[in-house]
Amino acid sequence: WSSVMEEQNVCPICLVTSLDEHNRACVPCGHSFCKKCILEVLRTSSQGLAKCPYCRENVTLFDVVCCGNALVERPTTIMGNVYIQGNQRGLASYHFEEGESYISYSTAPPFWRLDDGTSPPERKPFENASYDPATRTFKATVNWRPVTFHNDSRWEYRIVFSQDFMRISGGEVTSYQGEGNLSAIHKYRQQLFYVLDLDTL
């Protein structure tokens, strides 16, 4: 079957798209697909790791080559990227941009409420943000005053990113109530699990 598809020069996933020099995406095992199909397979897989639809060899999003160049470049910074939990943007997702980084609550469930009964804002900015590229560590504050969130007035973030920038690998969120009374400490990779949103690449 695969040899028939190769002879017909048609993408073996959609069985429709012709594979020309500008549309052919190749993976290390030597098999070819149209760019749209193989990117869809890899973007919906776990962290861009999947199996070749032909031979089941491991392939990552960054292995795909088109016209001699990588179709998707590996990230080398957090800037311009989004990190998500629950495979969903807007569910307290982290958006890192030059100038202003923020938390998005645009798709937060309706029961997520501030203590005055209102919904959290669609964009909640990180304040006093800093990023150390040597340690891949982002630090910032989220201030909830004058309206508290689950009785918390302030969250302090220390976020450590994995060496390949594919996930948050360490750090914590420290919550405070009132004028600085410690409320809770939530650790990444224990209570909080965030990964890179591949759609930003």
Side-chain angles (χ1 to χ4, degrees):
W1 176 256
S2 63
S3 61
V4 171
M5 291 297 99
E6 288 174 344
E7 289 175 6
Q8 294 179 350
N9 212 30
V10 172
C11 173
I13 298 177
C14 64
L15 307 179
V16 173
T17 306
S18 297
L19 301 179
D20 58 34
E21 61 176 316
H22 300 293
N23 190 50
R24 182 187 301 272
C26 302
V27 292
C29 53
H31 297 119
S32 301
F33 311 89
C34 72
K35 290 191 291 187
K36 180 180 178 182
C37 283
I38 193 62
L39 284 179
E40 184 174 334
V41 167
L42 291 170
R43 287 189 190 278
T44 56
S45 62
S46 176
Q47 286 291 277
L49 176 64
K51 302 285 186 181
C52 170
Y54 265 170
C55 65
R56 312 308 293 168
E57 284 288 322
N58 287 337
V59 59
T60 74
L61 184 66
F62 309 109
D63 294 329
V64 183
V65 174
C66 183
C67 300
N69 298 310
L71 203 56
V72 178
E73 296 292 339
R74 291 183 182 272
T76 58
T77 180
I78 64 171
M79 293 304 166
N81 290 325
V82 177
Y83 289 80
I84 58 175
Q85 60 178 342
N87 201 33
Q88 184 176 336
R89 277 199 188 199
L91 192 67
S93 52
Y94 302 158
H95 298 246
F96 297 100
E97 299 177 0
E98 296 289 353
E100 181 185 69
S101 298
Y102 61 93
I103 304 173
S104 173
Y105 291 99
S106 61
T107 62
F111 59 85
W112 284 19
R113 295 285 175 175
L114 302 181
D115 293 331
D116 66 353
T118 60
S119 299
E122 285 202 5
R123 289 171 58 136
K124 184 66 175 175
F126 286 114
E127 300 177 5
N128 305 314
S130 66
Y131 176 65
D132 180 3
T135 60
R136 304 180 305 280
T137 301
F138 176 87
K139 294 180 179 180
T141 300
V142 168
N143 182 16
W144 288 107
R145 294 181 183 181
V147 180
T148 54
F149 198 175
H150 300 300
N151 296 317
D152 291 334
S153 57
R154 186 176 88 251
W155 295 344
E156 297 284 349
Y157 285 80
R158 186 179 71 90
I159 304 174
V160 181
F161 297 86
S162 62
Q163 193 167 11
D164 60 5
F165 294 99
M166 294 297 286
R167 64 188 54 81
I168 292 175
S169 59
E172 65 283 321
V173 181
T174 306
S175 305
Y176 296 92
Q177 297 180 355
E179 297 301 319
N181 298 318
L182 179 64
S183 170
I185 299 175
H186 295 98
K187 294 184 177 294
Y188 292 100
R189 307 303 297 169
Q190 293 184 23
Q191 295 94 12
L192 302 171
F193 299 88
Y194 277 79
V195 297
L196 176 66
D197 183 1
L198 297 176
D199 286 339
T200 62
L201 300 178

